[in-house]
């Protein structure tokens, strides 16, 4: 068995004497210590309500009741408005409103978020319905299309949450989300203005700029609807502004004025409805039309509650539209939940929030609801109303039920222009403020460009393309940052305190805009190079790091080969050295440079390393040793992960193995089968005894233990110890270090 094991190790290249590193078995055992306990925790985490419902009290009930009723008064008119925006009958907005607020409270990790119909999702549903109708005219009803989108997208989001893949949402930065939401808000407002003014005769679902141009052309055709629409929009803003000003003047009345302000949607819709009834009830034409557009009949209660009709052919037709609908469900809700969590001092669970959205939309199809997600305006209202727990959603659901079963006859006279005013007033709050946009510029100009790209594409194309643009540009920026990492060659600065205490810190040699420009940075001891990584060392960026180190060595360190003693025919084709005419001057300049002794790599910013990067590090070692014509020490400081240590050990770093005994390739793509190559003339120029001598004495074994294993003497706990170890072996003035024999080309 031992012989077979040796043969197997020889075949796979596993050395017989290995350094102790982390094993896959150890990692897996640490990952899942108690599977039964983990399974129980997973199942209980699916229902966060179990963690707080047993502590529910009268104080919480009061806050939830006020907040729930307040949100309900806003949700009813908004729900019907958004359904019309989605080109659906108004009752479908109430269906989605009821299901969203009711189911969410059982799965929520945010007390403030209110789920239901939202403007961006409704506009997207309208675009999807147009998309399907253009390819399959009159084959499916709009309500069936919307319900199918809700079912499939809800199922997808539910799966993402159950598989704990919520981290995928983190790949989209805040400016990208803000950009597409701002562009979407502009798109929706532009599309609602014609309805507000009673202007018709063109496609309000076209690109935003086209809608704006056609609206301006159609101003002479403004209809009587504008009397209700403009009055309603003006009243909504007037009530909001007046209440805010009075709250500042009369702080004691701020709470009362707040509730007056939040009822403005219901108040304005009621007044406009009464005005429409008074004007239109006796002016019905022979064709059954009224002077202004009104909702007319809204069926009471839930119609046809039961299993949704999911047509496989319709699912195939909708397949290209599922990604954008799913992304909207994800991004808008998580962004809102995180925002209110930060403001109110609690942390949400993105995976659980995705489960809540998924369950809400999947079960909502039983009531023929269309897709619902978190609403920013209603969530802000819910938070300001003093909500205490997610249970407030039940009281909001009661308000929707009362409206659905008791108020539908009154909905008959609601003017469409008034609902457009409600939509414009709610959606305008999604547009990023100038100060917010300027903050993007101050923090990250590149993300500022992403924001503008998302807005412009949404305005001049569509919401779908705006979302894809924001995601694509965000991914591109992420890849660029990974592929072009910032790294620095490091020097020393001595800090003093009270003229008695001093310590050394390491900062970039070149001025980086962070340290004081008048501070003198001393380079390391001649012959030592210190380089700091600021990104993980991975395959997209390893070549650039390799080039940076090798180029720095060739520019600042002595070449170890005297080309004046080598015939031109024996020189390598890719590095022929100086010409005969200036060889003496070049050699004199070369001798003035220090001989390279050691390279110190600061891995404090490296959290991951892969095979390609390790191979690039091996290439770096080979190239600098070929330039110096001698073995070079590689010291590593602040290795953060045992897996990084394992990868470096596998490539022969840290353990003191002479470079001549190491392979030039750690994991070759194509196996090497011999051929003409360069090699060291002396195979024992630096052994383990030399390495231990350079690294200093080993720590005592009694009473103390080394913080870094002694079997890897070139791995150091911090950068200061790594630099000291590297400088310890540099030739001092007056001392002589034997120079290894020159490289021989064979």
């Amino acid at each position: 068995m031992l012989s077979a094991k040796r043969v197997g190790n020889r075949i796979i290249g596993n050395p017989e004497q290995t350094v102790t590193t982390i094993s896959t078995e150890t990692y897996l055992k640490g990952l899942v210590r108690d599977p039964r306990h983990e399974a129980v925790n997973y199942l209980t985490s699916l229902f966060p309500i179990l963690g707080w419902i047993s502590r529910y009290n009268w104080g919480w009930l009061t806050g939830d009741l006020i907040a729930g009723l307040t949100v309900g008064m806003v949700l009813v008119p908004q729900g019907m408005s958004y359904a019309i925006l989605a080109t659906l009958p108004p009752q479908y907005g109430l269906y989605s409103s009821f299901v969203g607020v009711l189911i969410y409270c059982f799965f929520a990790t945010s007390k403030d978020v209110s789920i239901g119909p939202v403007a961006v999702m409704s506009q997207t549903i309208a675009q999807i319905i147009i998309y399907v109708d253009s390819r399959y005219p009159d084959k499916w009803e709009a309500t069936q299309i919307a319900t199918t989108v809700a079912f499939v997208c809800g199922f997808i989001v539910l799966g993402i949450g159950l598989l704990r893949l919520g981290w995928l949402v983190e790949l989209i930065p805040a400016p990208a989300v803000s950009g597409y939401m701002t562009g979407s808000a502009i798109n929706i407002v532009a599309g609602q203005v014609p309805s507000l003014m009673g202007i018709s005769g063109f496609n309000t679902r076209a690109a935003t700029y086209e809608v704006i141009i056609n609206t301006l052309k159609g101003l002479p055709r403004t209809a009587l609807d504008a009397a209700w629409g403009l009055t309603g929009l003006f009243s909504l803003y007037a009530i909001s502004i007046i209440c805010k000003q009075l709250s500042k003047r009369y702080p004691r009345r701020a709470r009362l004025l707040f509730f007056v302000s939040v009822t403005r949607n219901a108040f304005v819709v009621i007044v406009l409805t009464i005005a429409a009834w008074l004007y239109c009830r006796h002016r019905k034409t022979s064709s059954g039309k009224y002077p202004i557009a009104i909702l007319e009949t809204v069926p009471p209660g839930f119609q046809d509650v039961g299993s949704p009709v999911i047509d496989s052919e319709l699912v195939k037709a909708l397949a290209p539209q599922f990604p954008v609908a799913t992304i909207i469900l994800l991004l808008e809700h998580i962004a809102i939940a995180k925002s209110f969590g930060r403001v109110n001092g609690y942390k949400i669970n993105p995976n659980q929030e995705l489960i809540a959205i998924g369950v809400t939309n999947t079960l909502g199809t039983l009531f023929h609801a269309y897709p619902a997600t978190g609403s920013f305006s209603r969530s802000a209202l819910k938070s300001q109303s003093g909500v205490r727990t997610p249970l407030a959603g039940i009281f909001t659901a009661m308000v929707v039920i009362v409206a659905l079963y008791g108020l539908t006859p009154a909905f008959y006279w609601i003017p469409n222009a008034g609902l457009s005013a409600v939509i414009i007033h709610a959606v305008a709050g999604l547009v990023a403020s100038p100060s917010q946009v300027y903050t993007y510029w101050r923090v990250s100009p590149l993300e500022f460009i992403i924001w503008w790209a998302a807005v412009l594409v949404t305005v001049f194309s569509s919401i779908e393309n705006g979302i894809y643009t924001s995601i694509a540009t965000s991914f591109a920026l992420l890849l660029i940052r990974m592929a072009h990492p910032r790294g620095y060659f490091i020097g020393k600065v001595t800090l003093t305190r009270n003229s008695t205490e001093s310590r050394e810190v390491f900062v970039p040699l070149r001025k980086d805009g962070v340290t004081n420009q008048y501070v003198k940075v001393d380079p390391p001891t001649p012959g030592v190079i210190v380089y700091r990584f600021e990104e993980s060392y991975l395959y997209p960026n390893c070549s650039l790091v390799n080039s940076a180190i090798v180029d720095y060595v060739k520019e600042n360190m002595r070449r170890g080969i005297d080309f004046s003693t080598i015939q031109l025919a024996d020189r390598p084709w890719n590095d022929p050295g100086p010409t005969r005419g200036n060889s003496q001057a070049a050699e004199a300049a070369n001798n003035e440079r220090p001989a390279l002794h050691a390279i110190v790599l600061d891995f404090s910013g490296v959290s991951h390393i892969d095979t390609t990067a390790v191979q690039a590090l091996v290439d770096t070692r080979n190239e600098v040793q070929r330039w110096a014509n001698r073995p070079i020490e590689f010291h590593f400081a602040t290795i953060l992960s045992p897996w990084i240590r394992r990868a470096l050990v596998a490539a022969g770093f840290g353990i003191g193995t002479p470079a001549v005994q190491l392979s030039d390739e750690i994991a070759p793509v194509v196996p090497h089968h011999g051929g003409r190559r360069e090699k060291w003339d002396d195979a024992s120029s630096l052994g383990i005894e030399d390495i231990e001598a350079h690294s200093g004495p080993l720590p005592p074994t009694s009473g103390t233990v080394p913080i870094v294993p002694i079997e890897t003497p070139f791995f150091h706990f911090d950068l200061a110890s790594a630099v000291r170890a590297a400088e310890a072996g540099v030739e001092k003035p007056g001392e002589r270090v034997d120079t290894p024999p020159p490289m021989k080309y064979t």
Side-chain angles (χ1 to χ4, degrees):
M1 292 296 295
L2 292 176
S3 300
K5 185 177 181 180
R6 291 193 189 96
V7 172
N9 287 335
R10 191 176 296 111
I11 292 174
I12 65 175
N14 186 31
E16 295 185 4
Q17 295 181 352
T18 59
V19 176
T20 303
T21 58
I22 189 173
S23 65
T24 306
E25 181 182 1
T26 304
Y27 173 75
L28 293 177
K29 286 182 178 179
L31 192 64
V32 184
R33 297 180 179 179
D34 187 353
R36 182 179 300 178
H37 181 68
E38 295 289 338
V40 172
N41 287 342
Y42 175 79
L43 293 176
T44 54
S45 68
L46 298 178
F47 301 93
I49 190 174
L50 300 177
W52 54 264
I53 192 63
S54 60
R55 296 179 282 111
Y56 202 79
N57 54 68
W58 290 105
W60 291 0
L61 177 62
T62 303
D64 289 344
L65 179 62
I66 295 174
L69 296 178
T70 303
V71 173
M73 288 188 291
V74 175
L75 179 58
V76 170
Q78 276 193 1
M80 293 189 293
S81 302
Y82 290 149
I84 294 175
L85 177 63
T87 64
L88 298 172
Q91 65 268 23
Y92 282 83
L94 298 179
Y95 300 161
S96 296
S97 301
F98 170 77
V99 175
V101 295
L102 179 64
I103 296 179
Y104 178 69
C105 68
F106 297 99
F107 300 91
T109 61
S110 171
K111 67 181 180 65
D112 300 295
V113 173
S114 177
I115 285 186
V118 295
V120 178
M121 190 74 246
S122 299
Q123 181 79 338
T124 303
I125 290 298
Q127 297 289 354
I128 292 175
I129 292 173
I130 294 173
Y131 169 84
V132 175
D133 284 342
S134 64
R135 287 160 176 77
Y136 305 92
D138 301 326
K139 188 169 185 178
W140 295 289
E141 295 183 356
T143 54
Q144 184 180 356
I145 296 172
T147 302
T148 302
V149 173
F151 180 82
V152 176
C153 292
F155 192 80
I156 294 172
V157 175
L158 177 61
I160 293 174
L162 291 174
L163 294 175
R164 296 297 190 254
L165 298 177
W167 56 268
L168 292 171
V169 182
E170 309 295 339
L171 296 175
I172 312 300
V177 178
S178 174
Y180 97 79
M181 290 184 68
T182 297
S184 301
I186 297 172
N187 180 286
I188 293 167
V189 170
Q192 288 302 303
V193 169
S195 176
L196 185 82
M197 305 288 290
I199 302 172
S200 59
F202 60 91
N203 180 19
T204 58
R205 309 291 177 178
T208 305
Y209 77 98
E210 294 181 3
V211 175
I212 294 174
I213 293 173
N214 290 328
T215 301
L216 294 175
K217 291 180 179 179
L219 286 177
R221 303 195 305 272
T222 300
L224 187 61
D225 300 71
W228 276 260
L230 293 177
T231 302
L233 185 62
F234 174 81
S235 300
L236 289 171
Y237 278 104
I239 295 173
S240 176
I241 294 172
I242 292 173
C243 288
K244 287 181 180 179
Q245 295 299 322
L246 291 177
S247 297
K248 294 178 181 179
R249 180 173 297 183
Y250 306 103
R252 294 184 178 181
R253 306 292 182 183
R255 188 70 173 171
L256 175 62
L257 291 169
F258 167 74
F259 285 107
V260 171
S261 177
V262 299
T263 59
R264 62 185 181 273
N265 283 288
F267 173 75
V268 169
V269 169
I270 290 172
V271 172
L272 294 179
T273 302
I274 294 174
W277 174 71
L278 292 174
Y279 182 79
C280 297
R281 57 178 178 158
H282 299 306
R283 289 180 170 83
K284 187 176 183 179
T285 64
S286 57
S287 60
K289 294 183 179 181
Y290 292 97
I292 63 172
I294 58 176
L295 284 186
E296 300 188 22
T297 303
V298 178
F302 292 101
Q303 304 293 318
D304 302 325
V305 175
S307 301
V309 179
I310 306 298
D311 189 339
S312 59
E313 189 176 354
L314 175 58
V315 173
K316 293 179 181 178
L318 288 170
Q321 303 298 319
F322 288 142
V324 65
T326 303
I327 290 171
I328 292 175
L329 289 180
L330 295 174
L331 293 185
E332 191 165 357
H333 180 88
I334 298 299
I336 292 170
K338 283 187 174 182
S339 174
F340 285 99
R342 286 192 295 268
V343 171
N344 296 315
Y346 61 87
K347 184 179 180 180
I348 68 158
N349 183 345
N351 291 308
Q352 185 59 35
E353 290 297 314
L354 296 182
I355 291 173
I357 301 173
V359 173
T360 298
N361 285 279
T362 304
L363 296 183
T365 56
L366 299 175
F367 298 87
H368 295 276
Y370 78 96
T373 187
S375 166
F376 181 81
S377 60
R378 295 194 299 272
S379 297
L381 175 60
K382 189 177 179 183
S383 176
Q384 294 169 2
S385 300
V387 65
R388 303 301 298 276
T389 71
L391 203 65
I394 292 180
F395 302 111
T396 304
M398 292 179 181
V399 175
V400 178
I401 284 291
V402 170
L404 196 55
Y405 280 91
L407 300 179
T408 49
F411 294 160
Y412 184 95
W413 299 101
I414 294 179
N416 289 347
L419 294 181
S420 295
V422 171
I423 293 175
I424 293 173
H425 181 64
V427 171
L430 298 178
V431 178
S433 64
S435 61
Q436 182 181 351
V437 178
Y438 180 63
T439 300
Y440 295 150
W441 169 257
R442 292 187 62 193
V443 174
S444 176
L446 290 177
E447 291 184 323
F448 172 79
I449 295 174
I450 290 176
W451 184 89
W452 270 113
V455 172
L456 294 176
V457 172
T458 303
V459 169
F460 288 96
S461 181
S462 65
I463 294 178
E464 178 182 2
N465 291 336
I467 292 175
Y468 289 149
T469 298
S470 64
I471 294 176
T473 51
S474 300
F475 278 12
L477 178 59
L478 180 62
L479 291 175
I480 290 173
R481 286 173 172 170
M482 290 177 59
H484 294 78
R486 287 190 299 268
Y488 301 101
F489 291 96
I490 303 299
K492 300 178 186 178
V493 173
T494 302
L495 304 180
T496 58
R497 180 182 180 184
N498 300 329
S499 302
T500 57
E501 300 179 10
S502 64
R503 63 187 179 96
E504 290 182 341
V505 296
F506 297 88
V507 297
L509 288 172
R510 64 179 178 85
K511 301 301 180 183
D512 56 359
V514 177
T515 56
N516 192 322
Q517 60 177 338
Y518 300 107
V519 172
K520 180 182 178 182
V521 181
D522 297 321
T525 300
V528 175
I529 295 175
V530 185
Y531 185 82
R532 173 177 292 162
F533 294 82
E534 289 202 354
E535 294 281 350
S536 289
Y537 194 36
L538 301 170
Y539 67 90
N541 58 40
C542 59
S543 295
L544 292 178
V545 175
N546 167 270
S547 299
I549 296 176
V550 172
D551 292 345
Y552 186 87
V553 168
K554 292 183 177 181
E555 290 175 6
N556 298 277
M557 295 296 159
R558 183 190 306 165
R559 183 198 290 267
I561 301 175
D562 184 3
F563 273 90
S564 63
T565 62
I566 302 176
Q567 296 295 326
L568 185 61
D570 295 331
R571 298 181 185 182
W573 66 272
N574 60 333
D575 188 14
T579 60
R580 293 187 180 275
N582 61 353
S583 60
Q584 293 182 353
E587 190 64 27
N590 181 59
N591 291 333
E592 292 178 358
R593 299 175 181 175
L596 179 62
H597 170 74
I599 295 178
V600 180
L601 300 177
D602 182 2
F603 265 45
S604 59
V606 178
S607 58
H608 297 283
I609 195 170
D610 59 17
T611 304
T612 309
V614 172
Q615 177 61 57
L617 201 56
V618 172
D619 295 340
T620 302
R621 178 178 61 193
N622 295 336
E623 290 187 56
V624 298
Q625 289 182 153
R626 188 178 298 113
W627 175 266
N629 198 32
R630 58 179 293 177
I632 303 301
E633 295 180 3
F634 275 75
H635 295 260
F636 296 83
T638 322
I639 296 177
L640 302 177
S641 167
W643 292 99
I644 296 177
R645 181 176 181 271
R646 169 175 164 153
L648 294 175
V649 168
F653 291 103
I655 57 178
T657 304
V660 67
Q661 298 179 6
L662 300 174
S663 172
D664 287 345
E665 291 187 291
I666 181 66
V669 178
V670 179
H672 181 74
H673 298 291
R676 183 182 179 89
R677 60 186 301 172
E678 302 160 1
K679 63 181 181 180
W680 298 108
D681 189 56
D682 184 5
S684 59
S685 59
L686 187 63
I688 187 66
E689 296 82 3
D690 301 308
I691 291 169
E692 292 179 353
H694 289 318
S695 302
L698 297 179
T701 57
S702 59
T704 60
V705 294
I707 194 170
V708 177
I710 60 176
E711 58 188 353
T712 52
F714 285 87
F715 292 159
H716 305 275
F717 177 70
D718 59 5
L719 183 57
S721 60
V723 174
R724 284 196 301 268
E727 293 177 341
V730 178
E731 180 180 355
K732 303 297 189 299
E735 296 181 357
R736 180 178 180 275
V737 176
D738 293 334
T739 303
M743 181 183 293
K744 180 185 294 183
Y745 297 95
T746 61

